[in-house]
Amino acid sequence: MPQITVDYSQNLESFFDRQGFALALHPLIAETAEAQLAACKTRFRRVDETVVAAGTAEDAVVHIGIALLPGRTPEVKAQLSEVVLDLLAEYLRPAGDVTVVLSAEVRELDASYRRR
């Protein structure tokens, strides 16, 4: 269960400790959302093109999507989004004048979800 997807702008490639972030993220999700640590799975997807606002080359985006089995309250989901964004700041160190837009969303997995 927790299915975690991290989309990030390619210009953050060398400024983002993805492995460290995932290893810190999993226990945080397990604790905050009362999930099993062993069930946490994170995949990172580099996005080659992103445009923010007026579209300067220095702009970047990181979006974290967390899909959980149903049962968490809206308050727990909101709290999880907040703590994940706080954690992200520890593992993302852009250089120069890069403006990074960070976002997180926690949603429920559909009833069709299966795992083997």
Side-chain angles (χ1 to χ4, degrees):
M1 189 246 328
Q3 296 286 335
I4 306 136
T5 305
V6 181
D7 294 312
Y8 65 96
S9 299
Q10 64 86 21
N11 59 338
L12 297 175
E13 186 82 29
S14 60
F15 306 111
F16 186 10
D17 177 5
R18 295 176 300 281
Q19 182 78 16
F21 176 67
L23 292 173
L25 178 64
H26 293 173
L28 181 69
I29 290 174
E31 179 182 329
T32 306
E34 297 182 8
Q36 296 296 315
L37 177 64
C40 292
K41 296 163 287 302
T42 297
R43 62 185 181 269
F44 293 89
R45 300 186 297 199
R46 186 184 75 203
V47 179
D48 292 333
E49 293 184 47
T50 55
V51 178
V52 178
T56 65
E58 294 80 29
D59 294 338
V61 174
V62 178
H63 176 74
I64 302 165
I66 302 168
L68 302 169
L69 290 173
R72 277 65 175 196
T73 66
E75 293 80 15
V76 167
K77 292 176 192 175
Q79 177 189 10
L80 183 55
S81 292
E82 289 293 332
V83 297
V84 166
L85 290 175
D86 290 343
L87 180 68
L88 179 59
E90 297 177 33
Y91 292 89
L92 180 64
R93 302 278 185 224
D97 292 333
V98 176
T99 300
V100 184
V101 177
L102 307 177
S103 60
E105 176 189 21
V106 178
R107 64 176 182 81
E108 293 184 350
L109 288 163
D110 187 78
S112 65
Y113 174 77
R114 298 292 185 271
R115 180 184 134 184
R116 292 186 184 181

